[in-house]
mmCIF file with all atom_site columns, all heavy atoms in Angstrom:
data_model
loop_
_atom_site.group_PDB
_atom_site.id
_atom_site.type_symbol
_atom_site.label_atom_id
_atom_site.label_alt_id
_atom_site.label_comp_id
_atom_site.label_asym_id
_atom_site.label_entity_id
_atom_site.label_seq_id
_atom_site.pdbx_PDB_ins_code
_atom_site.Cartn_x
_atom_site.Cartn_y
_atom_site.Cartn_z
_atom_site.occupancy
_atom_site.B_iso_or_equiv
_atom_site.pdbx_formal_charge
_atom_site.auth_seq_id
_atom_site.auth_comp_id
_atom_site.auth_asym_id
_atom_site.auth_atom_id
_atom_site.pdbx_PDB_model_num
ATOM 1  N N   . GLN A 1 38  ? 27.449 3.316  12.673 1.00 86.00 ? 261 GLN A N   1
ATOM 2  C CA  . GLN A 1 38  ? 28.463 2.599  11.906 1.00 86.00 ? 261 GLN A CA  1
ATOM 3  C C   . GLN A 1 38  ? 29.670 3.474  11.575 1.00 86.00 ? 261 GLN A C   1
ATOM 4  O O   . GLN A 1 38  ? 30.502 3.112  10.748 1.00 86.00 ? 261 GLN A O   1
ATOM 5  C CB  . GLN A 1 38  ? 27.845 2.069  10.610 1.00 86.00 ? 261 GLN A CB  1
ATOM 6  C CG  . GLN A 1 38  ? 26.761 1.031  10.820 1.00 86.00 ? 261 GLN A CG  1
ATOM 7  C CD  . GLN A 1 38  ? 27.280 -0.216 11.506 1.00 86.00 ? 261 GLN A CD  1
ATOM 8  O OE1 . GLN A 1 38  ? 28.299 -0.776 11.101 1.00 86.00 ? 261 GLN A OE1 1
ATOM 9  N NE2 . GLN A 1 38  ? 26.606 -0.652 12.556 1.00 86.00 ? 261 GLN A NE2 1
ATOM 10 N N   . GLY A 1 39  ? 29.747 4.641  12.217 1.00 86.00 ? 262 GLY A N   1
ATOM 11 C CA  . GLY A 1 39  ? 30.903 5.508  12.023 1.00 86.00 ? 262 GLY A CA  1
ATOM 12 C C   . GLY A 1 39  ? 30.850 6.351  10.769 1.00 86.00 ? 262 GLY A C   1
ATOM 13 O O   . GLY A 1 39  ? 31.897 6.770  10.255 1.00 86.00 ? 262 GLY A O   1
ATOM 14 N N   . LEU A 1 40  ? 29.648 6.620  10.268 1.00 89.00 ? 263 LEU A N   1
ATOM 15 C CA  . LEU A 1 40  ? 29.488 7.442  9.068  1.00 89.00 ? 263 LEU A CA  1
ATOM 16 C C   . LEU A 1 40  ? 28.736 8.722  9.402  1.00 89.00 ? 263 LEU A C   1
ATOM 17 O O   . LEU A 1 40  ? 27.751 8.704  10.144 1.00 89.00 ? 263 LEU A O   1
ATOM 18 C CB  . LEU A 1 40  ? 28.704 6.687  7.993  1.00 89.00 ? 263 LEU A CB  1
ATOM 19 C CG  . LEU A 1 40  ? 29.415 5.573  7.239  1.00 89.00 ? 263 LEU A CG  1
ATOM 20 C CD1 . LEU A 1 40  ? 28.424 4.884  6.312  1.00 89.00 ? 263 LEU A CD1 1
ATOM 21 C CD2 . LEU A 1 40  ? 30.595 6.112  6.444  1.00 89.00 ? 263 LEU A CD2 1
ATOM 22 N N   . THR A 1 92  ? 37.736 4.842  1.484  1.00 60.00 ? 315 THR A N   1
ATOM 23 C CA  . THR A 1 92  ? 36.840 3.752  1.857  1.00 60.00 ? 315 THR A CA  1
ATOM 24 C C   . THR A 1 92  ? 37.611 2.470  2.134  1.00 60.00 ? 315 THR A C   1
ATOM 25 O O   . THR A 1 92  ? 37.226 1.662  2.987  1.00 60.00 ? 315 THR A O   1
ATOM 26 C CB  . THR A 1 92  ? 35.821 3.495  0.723  1.00 60.00 ? 315 THR A CB  1
ATOM 27 O OG1 . THR A 1 92  ? 35.184 4.724  0.387  1.00 60.00 ? 315 THR A OG1 1
ATOM 28 C CG2 . THR A 1 92  ? 34.771 2.493  1.157  1.00 60.00 ? 315 THR A CG2 1
ATOM 29 N N   . MET A 1 95  ? 38.550 1.858  5.686  1.00 52.00 ? 318 MET A N   1
ATOM 30 C CA  . MET A 1 95  ? 37.486 1.722  6.670  1.00 52.00 ? 318 MET A CA  1
ATOM 31 C C   . MET A 1 95  ? 37.069 0.261  6.787  1.00 52.00 ? 318 MET A C   1
ATOM 32 O O   . MET A 1 95  ? 37.186 -0.517 5.849  1.00 52.00 ? 318 MET A O   1
ATOM 33 C CB  . MET A 1 95  ? 36.280 2.585  6.277  1.00 52.00 ? 318 MET A CB  1
ATOM 34 C CG  . MET A 1 95  ? 36.615 4.055  6.117  1.00 52.00 ? 318 MET A CG  1
ATOM 35 S SD  . MET A 1 95  ? 35.200 5.034  5.587  1.00 52.00 ? 318 MET A SD  1
ATOM 36 C CE  . MET A 1 95  ? 34.172 4.938  7.050  1.00 52.00 ? 318 MET A CE  1
ATOM 37 N N   . ASP A 1 96  ? 36.572 -0.098 7.942  1.00 46.00 ? 319 ASP A N   1
ATOM 38 C CA  . ASP A 1 96  ? 36.194 -1.486 8.205  1.00 46.00 ? 319 ASP A CA  1
ATOM 39 C C   . ASP A 1 96  ? 34.767 -1.751 7.726  1.00 46.00 ? 319 ASP A C   1
ATOM 40 O O   . ASP A 1 96  ? 33.863 -2.031 8.501  1.00 46.00 ? 319 ASP A O   1
ATOM 41 C CB  . ASP A 1 96  ? 36.313 -1.775 9.703  1.00 46.00 ? 319 ASP A CB  1
ATOM 42 C CG  . ASP A 1 96  ? 36.087 -3.251 10.019 1.00 46.00 ? 319 ASP A CG  1
ATOM 43 O OD1 . ASP A 1 96  ? 36.240 -4.073 9.097  1.00 46.00 ? 319 ASP A OD1 1
ATOM 44 O OD2 . ASP A 1 96  ? 35.757 -3.557 11.177 1.00 46.00 ? 319 ASP A OD2 1
ATOM 45 N N   . ARG A 1 97  ? 34.551 -1.622 6.414  1.00 53.00 ? 320 ARG A N   1
ATOM 46 C CA  . ARG A 1 97  ? 33.237 -1.903 5.834  1.00 53.00 ? 320 ARG A CA  1
ATOM 47 C C   . ARG A 1 97  ? 33.407 -2.144 4.341  1.00 53.00 ? 320 ARG A C   1
ATOM 48 O O   . ARG A 1 97  ? 34.392 -1.742 3.735  1.00 53.00 ? 320 ARG A O   1
ATOM 49 C CB  . ARG A 1 97  ? 32.255 -0.761 6.076  1.00 53.00 ? 320 ARG A CB  1
ATOM 50 C CG  . ARG A 1 97  ? 32.645 0.545  5.449  1.00 53.00 ? 320 ARG A CG  1
ATOM 51 C CD  . ARG A 1 97  ? 31.530 1.565  5.618  1.00 53.00 ? 320 ARG A CD  1
ATOM 52 N NE  . ARG A 1 97  ? 31.096 1.657  6.984  1.00 53.00 ? 320 ARG A NE  1
ATOM 53 C CZ  . ARG A 1 97  ? 31.710 2.408  7.893  1.00 53.00 ? 320 ARG A CZ  1
ATOM 54 N NH1 . ARG A 1 97  ? 32.777 3.087  7.565  1.00 53.00 ? 320 ARG A NH1 1
ATOM 55 N NH2 . ARG A 1 97  ? 31.260 2.461  9.127  1.00 53.00 ? 320 ARG A NH2 1
ATOM 56 N N   . SER A 1 98  ? 32.438 -2.802 3.741  1.00 62.00 ? 321 SER A N   1
ATOM 57 C CA  . SER A 1 98  ? 32.505 -3.128 2.325  1.00 62.00 ? 321 SER A CA  1
ATOM 58 C C   . SER A 1 98  ? 31.996 -1.969 1.479  1.00 62.00 ? 321 SER A C   1
ATOM 59 O O   . SER A 1 98  ? 31.267 -1.094 1.949  1.00 62.00 ? 321 SER A O   1
ATOM 60 C CB  . SER A 1 98  ? 31.666 -4.375 2.033  1.00 62.00 ? 321 SER A CB  1
ATOM 61 O OG  . SER A 1 98  ? 30.292 -4.090 2.228  1.00 62.00 ? 321 SER A OG  1
ATOM 62 N N   . LEU A 1 99  ? 32.372 -1.990 0.199  1.00 65.00 ? 322 LEU A N   1
ATOM 63 C CA  . LEU A 1 99  ? 31.851 -0.993 -0.728 1.00 65.00 ? 322 LEU A CA  1
ATOM 64 C C   . LEU A 1 99  ? 30.341 -1.121 -0.853 1.00 65.00 ? 322 LEU A C   1
ATOM 65 O O   . LEU A 1 99  ? 29.631 -0.126 -0.966 1.00 65.00 ? 322 LEU A O   1
ATOM 66 C CB  . LEU A 1 99  ? 32.513 -1.164 -2.099 1.00 65.00 ? 322 LEU A CB  1
ATOM 67 C CG  . LEU A 1 99  ? 33.969 -0.722 -2.217 1.00 65.00 ? 322 LEU A CG  1
ATOM 68 C CD1 . LEU A 1 99  ? 34.500 -1.056 -3.605 1.00 65.00 ? 322 LEU A CD1 1
ATOM 69 C CD2 . LEU A 1 99  ? 34.111 0.764  -1.949 1.00 65.00 ? 322 LEU A CD2 1
ATOM 70 N N   . LEU A 1 102 ? 28.694 0.639  2.178  1.00 84.00 ? 325 LEU A N   1
ATOM 71 C CA  . LEU A 1 102 ? 28.688 2.091  2.052  1.00 84.00 ? 325 LEU A CA  1
ATOM 72 C C   . LEU A 1 102 ? 27.718 2.531  0.965  1.00 84.00 ? 325 LEU A C   1
ATOM 73 O O   . LEU A 1 102 ? 26.976 3.507  1.131  1.00 84.00 ? 325 LEU A O   1
ATOM 74 C CB  . LEU A 1 102 ? 30.099 2.595  1.737  1.00 84.00 ? 325 LEU A CB  1
ATOM 75 C CG  . LEU A 1 102 ? 30.246 4.109  1.547  1.00 84.00 ? 325 LEU A CG  1
ATOM 76 C CD1 . LEU A 1 102 ? 29.743 4.868  2.767  1.00 84.00 ? 325 LEU A CD1 1
ATOM 77 C CD2 . LEU A 1 102 ? 31.703 4.469  1.263  1.00 84.00 ? 325 LEU A CD2 1
#
Side-chain angles (χ1 to χ4, degrees):
Q261 295 298 311
L263 286 175
T315 307
M318 303 178 68
D319 187 21
R320 62 174 51 84
S321 67
L322 287 176
L325 179 56

